[in-house]
Amino acid sequence: MVARRQVGLLVLAAALAVAGAVALESCAGRGGTADVGAIARERGLTDADIVAAVKTYQPTGRLDEYLMFSSGGHGGQVLVIGIPSMRLLKVIAAFTPEPWQGYATGADEHREMMRRARVAGHDITWGDTHHPALSETDADYDGQFLFIGDKANPRIAVIDLRDFETKQLVANPNMGTDHGAAFVTPNTEYVIESSQYAVPLWNEYADVDRYQQEYRGLVTFWKFDRQRGRVDEAASFSIELPPYWQDLADAGKGPSAGWAFINSFNGEMATGGIESRKPAFEAGASQNDMDYLHILNWQKAAQVAATPGRARMQRGQRVIPLRTAVDEGLLFLAPEPKSPHGADVTPDGRRIVVGGKLDPHVTVYAFEKIKQATEQRAFTGNDAFGVPILDFNAVIDGQLEVGLGPLHTQFDGEGNAFTSVFLDTKVVKWSVEPLQVLDEIGVHYNVGHIAVAEGDTKSPDGKYLVSLNKWAIDRFSPVGPLHPQNFQLIDLTGEKMQLLYDMPIGVGEPHYAQIIKADKLNPQLVYPVGTSPGTMAQARDAVAGGQERIERRGNEVHVYMTAIRSHFNPEHIRVRQGERVVIHITNIEQAREATHGFAIAKYNINLSLEPGESQTASFVADQAGVFPFYCTEFCSALHLEMAGYLLVEPRG
Amino acid sequence: MDRLTAFFSGQLSPRGRLLMVAATLAILPSIVLPTWTISLRAPQYPDGLELRIYPNTVAGDVREVNLLNHYIGMHEIEPDEFPEFRFIPFFILRFFGFALITALAARMPLAVLGWMDFVLFGVVMLYTMQHWLFEYGHNLSPDAPLNIEPFTPSLIGPTSVGQFSVSSWPASGAVLMGVAGLIGPIIALYEWRRMRGGTAAT
């Protein structure tokens, strides 16, 4: 045991020494004492390994150049990861209760937020986060907000990057599931959410036999009120779409600003039924060589939605019917091969790249040609719902074969594109003009999305690419049948792409990520004393030091409490069984990181009170007895002493 | 003896008056500048903590320092509890006024009186600070979570308390007042030599 630990320590020391010594050597002239070569030989490291270590190793206290916001998949969270170190900095709770952040584990404001985001009469305690979208100004990340979609319970979460906390959950009443969420328009006028599996739109129920008649896709443009930092549901609108399974979305920028692009699969409108010997979805939805890229004029649609009588109110949402969308020229279709995944607008906004998934090509559409075709009404026909179809050959710039299963494309600032290729499990670098493959690198394994530093903005940085691999298989120590996923950091600075680092993701199955320059973020380090994070303003029931008290109002006991190193005040809360206890607690600290937790034993309550934060937690003291409460965040040397008693007297 | 009498009852030369004006200029800003700084360093405070003592208040990380001090039972630093803060700014203002009048009137007796007053004030203030430091370090609550030996933080230089190294130094305001205080002897020396030179010439 001891021997094994020592070996472990040796290996660790060696790893650090390699990185450190190489760094020292590069500091011209200053010789290190460790023999890097010997350590590398002992550990079996190649020169490339040493370079990779030196490119990613961050000595203590050195901050990362970029932050990556990644979906946490059906963990329902958002991961924040530093680049190039690939260190996990934070998990932001979005749709799933998360006790460390005190998120939906007792605070009234979260209960209210979750209540408003109930869907179909259910309390939902998880989410399937897919695509994070950083807020943009002039098609560039501005570091203010982050949005993310919940595929399972079509919802959008709004995260405020002043404190990296979720502020709003918006449920979509007219979708079955979403997938193309979230994506933002160039100035975050709207947050785009598009549906995945079509469901009946205008009626509550229709059998799947009536798929073509009743089932519909939908795209919602959620109006974002930047001043309030909230989605304005009343100012938002949706557009009814054909019942193809819409997939990913992207907003145009520059010359294509005002437009949005959504790809789709299941143009066949297959309805499954394997149990009745009908083709399974996987086969039925993969018959045609072409599906439809949806081309939407959202700027015009916003005007149409605002015109009285043009949109229909459906479940409290303004929906532009498909017929109206066609008549008004809001929606066009362009054929796209084949069951694709990813419609990505180039940094200059002049082209849209679609990865073919079941076709080995990326197809590059020219927005100029699309626009011309729509203006000249040069259509090859209409689909079954009357939506005009553009001539594939007339609107594309070209196609490039990149391998089997091209999915998602991101860009650098030098006219290059990077496409994830799922089946070949590689990332391909290619130039947009002329269309040619430049390089490729194998990844481990089954890459889904990729993220390049600021790679979907108008001015990508290039430099780093993260390959979000679905499988890790043999890359990490086995930890049971459920494997972590593998984020691989790839260096883009050289002629050839170089793999730098593998990061296991053991908390979810991420889909999409965005990488922002760290200096664009300027989060608060403490809250002003008495702040309610829900409003980012002074909490109504904030308690100042010296104002602590317990007030009885009928059947309610209001406790006005403070937390400061290392005590709560009051420390005794006496109530009678059956009374409603309302605890207003303020952390009156202003020191960075002086966070206190507040947990009540056996009452399923845990709050996280960051310095200055004020929260209210209410519950009925239904169980008599003595319940310790204590600070759950190790705050100080006398942290264990930071405790008190909730005394619930039995009913007489 | 006559010479001394003549010196102390004499007039200030134009240069002496100019130096006097310089003294007023050094005194005035010290009303708003920090007089003393006490900085605290500990491993978990990489940016350190700082108390800045002004003529009328204590500013900086007072809240955090109080919070830490409560562990050792130190009395809370509450600026309103120091009677000194109510009159120190007026004293400084008075010195400024006196120095200004001296510069205008150009009378040596005024200069000498003002300087002595000023120096006395400085000494009393240093003593008062030393007194408070002693008080705070010795008036420790016996109920505190941590019991430590009573101590007196240094008025100037480092002291070590628990995991903290505390360091106390004069700040810009005190430096300016020191400069103003030094101008006194400089004027005296200058005027003395001028008078002697003058006598020699006649």
Side-chain angles (χ1 to χ4, degrees):
Chain A
M1 196 59 207
V2 172
R4 190 189 274 183
R5 184 179 294 170
Q6 280 173 349
V7 170
L9 283 175
L10 272 177
V11 170
L12 183 67
L16 295 181
V18 169
V22 173
L24 269 181
E25 273 196 352
S26 68
C27 291
R30 269 201 293 159
T33 46
D35 183 345
V36 184
I39 296 165
R41 274 191 301 280
E42 193 188 337
R43 295 201 63 220
L45 299 177
T46 65
D47 287 354
D49 295 337
I50 296 169
V51 169
V54 175
K55 282 192 170 181
T56 53
Y57 176 73
Q58 293 286 36
T60 181
R62 191 169 303 173
L63 309 187
D64 282 307
E65 188 184 358
Y66 289 93
L67 257 59
M68 176 162 73
F69 290 87
S70 165
S71 95
H74 42 295
Q77 296 157 331
V78 174
L79 315 180
V80 187
I81 294 162
I83 287 178
S85 75
M86 299 302 275
R87 294 179 292 197
L88 176 64
L89 301 175
K90 196 168 201 177
V91 176
I92 306 173
F95 297 104
T96 306
E98 203 288 308
W100 170 59
Q101 293 154 82
Y103 184 74
T105 51
D108 283 6
E109 72 174 30
H110 298 146
R111 186 179 304 137
E112 175 60 16
M113 193 160 85
M114 288 281 176
R115 191 190 62 74
R116 294 168 68 99
R118 280 168 64 93
V119 287
H122 294 135
D123 287 322
I124 308 280
T125 56
W126 72 290
D128 183 13
T129 58
H130 272 247
H131 308 101
L134 286 156
S135 60
E136 295 181 9
T137 298
D138 190 22
D140 222 342
Y141 301 151
D142 55 36
Q144 292 185 6
F145 295 94
L146 182 84
F147 310 92
I148 193 157
D150 166 13
K151 174 172 172 172
N153 318 286
R155 296 184 292 178
I156 298 280
V158 180
I159 294 165
D160 191 334
L161 294 179
R162 280 178 296 176
D163 62 353
F164 283 51
E165 288 194 8
T166 302
K167 304 296 178 180
Q168 187 187 19
L169 303 178
V170 187
N172 198 318
N174 286 317
M175 284 182 190
T177 51
D178 75 32
H179 192 257
F183 295 87
V184 297
T185 55
N187 288 297
T188 322
E189 298 94 338
Y190 291 95
V191 181
I192 303 173
E193 179 185 26
S194 58
S195 63
Q196 180 119 82
Y197 308 117
V199 292
L201 174 61
W202 303 110
N203 297 313
E204 189 187 353
Y205 181 79
D207 194 87
V208 75
D209 293 348
R210 296 192 44 79
Y211 187 85
Q212 296 199 22
Q213 295 87 336
E214 303 248 10
Y215 287 48
R216 290 293 177 268
L218 194 79
V219 57
T220 300
F221 290 85
W222 293 108
K223 179 74 191 158
F224 185 60
D225 181 342
R226 198 187 279 263
Q227 219 57 42
R228 283 177 54 239
R230 296 289 186 277
V231 163
D232 181 350
E233 294 170 70
S236 305
F237 68 93
S238 297
I239 303 172
E240 177 186 3
L241 298 175
Y244 314 132
W245 287 357
Q246 284 76 26
D247 199 40
L248 287 161
D250 201 4
K253 47 181 166 268
S256 55
W259 294 75
F261 309 93
I262 307 172
N263 58 26
S264 68
F265 57 104
N266 198 12
E268 299 83 351
M269 294 186 281
T271 54
I274 187 171
E275 68 288 351
S276 323
R277 295 176 185 282
K278 291 179 190 158
F281 277 115
E282 62 173 331
S286 310
Q287 295 303 303
N288 299 347
D289 285 340
M290 291 285 187
D291 287 281
Y292 292 120
L293 175 68
H294 296 45
I295 298 157
L296 289 127
N297 186 338
W298 64 259
Q299 217 150 41
K300 198 169 167 192
Q303 292 163 14
V304 171
T307 311
R310 311 284 16 227
R312 277 171 67 177
M313 286 306 281
Q314 179 68 351
R315 302 182 182 108
Q317 197 177 59
R318 280 188 297 164
V319 181
I320 299 173
L322 185 50
R323 186 74 254 152
T324 309
V326 171
D327 292 346
E328 297 280 354
L330 309 181
L331 174 65
F332 304 92
L333 302 174
E336 54 176 4
K338 175 193 181 177
S339 303
H341 192 79
D344 302 292
V345 178
T346 54
D348 60 12
R350 290 171 52 213
R351 296 180 176 88
I352 303 106
V353 178
V354 170
K357 194 166 87 178
L358 301 185
D359 176 281
H361 298 93
V362 285
T363 302
V364 182
Y365 295 80
F367 180 72
E368 187 74 16
K369 295 179 183 174
I370 289 175
K371 198 150 182 255
Q372 208 169 23
T374 59
E375 277 162 5
Q376 295 169 356
R377 306 192 65 75
F379 308 132
T380 57
N382 298 323
D383 76 347
F385 306 89
V387 186
I389 301 169
L390 306 175
D391 178 7
F392 179 68
N393 289 313
V395 295
I396 67 167
D397 253 1
Q399 288 186 293
L400 180 68
E401 186 168 340
V402 292
L404 297 177
L407 297 182
H408 177 218
T409 300
Q410 291 246 302
F411 306 92
D412 68 9
E414 288 152 24
N416 300 314
F418 302 84
T419 299
S420 58
V421 184
F422 183 82
L423 297 174
D424 283 344
T425 184
K426 66 183 182 185
V427 172
V428 173
K429 176 183 180 179
W430 51 279
S431 69
V432 179
E433 205 171 8
L435 268 177
Q436 66 182 54
V437 171
L438 302 175
D439 188 21
E440 63 173 59
I441 185 169
V443 290
H444 315 87
Y445 302 91
N446 293 356
V447 52
H449 282 278
I450 52 175
V452 174
E454 311 221 332
D456 59 3
T457 68
K458 70 166 182 186
S459 56
D461 287 5
K463 213 161 176 177
Y464 297 111
L465 179 149
V466 175
S467 176
L468 284 67
N469 305 319
K470 297 293 174 193
W471 284 13
I473 310 182
D474 58 356
R475 295 293 105 171
F476 305 113
S477 304
V479 288
L482 182 60
H483 287 49
Q485 304 220 333
N486 188 10
F487 278 14
Q488 288 186 304
L489 179 70
I490 291 167
D491 182 5
L492 299 183
T493 54
E495 190 76 1
K496 299 282 289 175
M497 293 182 280
Q498 194 204 347
L499 180 59
L500 295 181
Y501 196 85
D502 283 24
M503 177 193 188
I505 301 292
V507 294
E509 195 238 275
H511 296 274
Y512 185 54
Q514 288 183 328
I515 301 172
I516 182 174
K517 195 86 193 293
D519 61 15
K520 286 186 176 173
L521 297 161
N522 187 25
Q524 295 181 2
L525 302 177
V526 298
Y527 294 110
V529 175
T531 301
S532 157
T535 58
M536 292 302 264
Q538 195 70 14
R540 195 192 52 194
D541 294 306
V543 190
Q547 308 286 304
E548 299 89 350
R549 64 200 183 273
I550 296 179
E551 288 176 11
R552 292 187 167 272
R553 294 177 209 156
N555 193 38
E556 288 188 353
V557 183
H558 287 257
V559 183
Y560 292 87
M561 187 185 261
T562 57
I564 189 166
R565 277 164 288 166
S566 306
H567 58 267
F568 296 107
N569 186 2
E571 289 181 332
H572 299 162
I573 303 172
R574 288 192 180 80
V575 300
R576 285 183 288 273
Q577 188 180 9
E579 282 181 320
R580 183 168 187 77
V581 186
V582 187
I583 297 179
H584 310 288
I585 178 165
T586 304
N587 177 347
I588 56 175
E589 306 249 18
Q590 283 293 276
R592 187 171 173 177
E593 241 186 297
T595 296
H596 297 292
F598 176 75
I600 305 179
K602 305 179 187 177
Y603 265 95
N604 198 29
I605 286 173
N606 182 48
L607 309 178
S608 170
L609 302 151
E610 287 106 63
E613 177 168 347
S614 185
Q615 286 286 0
T616 295
S618 59
F619 59 98
V620 175
D622 50 2
Q623 290 297 317
V626 174
F627 304 91
F629 57 81
Y630 70 97
C631 174
T632 38
E633 182 91 22
F634 202 110
C635 59
S636 57
L638 295 170
H639 158 71
L640 295 179
E641 288 77 357
M642 189 165 175
Y645 286 108
L646 168 68
L647 302 138
V648 185
E649 257 180 84
R651 249 187 223 105
Chain B
M1 201 62 210
D2 286 352
R3 219 185 241 178
L4 268 182
T5 319
F7 172 75
F8 280 117
S9 57
Q11 288 283 117
L12 284 181
S13 66
R15 254 189 212 167
R17 294 174 70 181
L18 209 63
L19 281 166
M20 221 41 235
V21 171
T24 65
L25 292 180
I27 291 169
L28 194 60
S30 67
I31 294 184
V32 292
L33 291 173
T35 316
W36 223 262
T37 335
I38 300 175
S39 53
L40 300 90
R41 294 212 153 268
Q44 57 273 71
Y45 291 90
D47 297 333
L49 294 170
E50 193 178 72
L51 293 179
R52 289 187 302 279
I53 302 167
Y54 288 82
N56 64 336
T57 192
V58 185
D61 301 304
V62 180
R63 193 189 178 101
E64 186 66 11
V65 169
N66 277 335
L67 194 149
L68 292 166
N69 285 347
H70 100 274
Y71 286 119
I72 55 169
M74 201 186 256
H75 192 68
E76 205 162 283
I77 300 169
E78 180 50 72
D80 291 350
E81 284 183 9
F82 295 91
E84 291 86 348
F85 286 150
R86 265 169 270 153
F87 60 77
I88 293 174
F90 296 101
F91 266 76
I92 297 175
L93 215 56
R94 218 195 61 186
F95 294 127
F96 166 74
F98 206 92
L100 196 64
I101 290 167
T102 308
L104 292 174
R107 301 283 303 143
M108 186 54 99
L110 285 180
V112 173
L113 208 64
W115 183 78
M116 284 165 62
D117 192 16
F118 190 64
V119 169
L120 185 67
F121 168 80
V123 170
V124 170
M125 281 303 106
L126 289 175
Y127 173 78
T128 309
M129 265 183 69
Q130 181 65 42
H131 161 78
W132 280 122
L133 289 169
F134 178 88
E135 274 298 303
Y136 273 94
H138 284 75
N139 183 15
L140 301 174
S141 164
D143 300 333
L146 291 171
N147 292 316
I148 64 163
E149 280 298 304
F151 67 103
T152 310
S154 302
L155 184 58
I156 293 182
T159 316
S160 141
V161 187
Q163 80 271 38
F164 280 90
S165 80
V166 181
S167 163
S168 173
W169 295 101
S172 51
V175 170
L176 280 178
M177 281 195 265
V179 167
L182 278 179
I183 289 176
I186 291 171
I187 294 177
L189 199 66
Y190 173 76
E191 295 292 347
W192 177 256
R193 289 175 68 166
R194 190 181 61 91
M195 195 179 77
R196 275 185 36 179
T199 342
T202 46

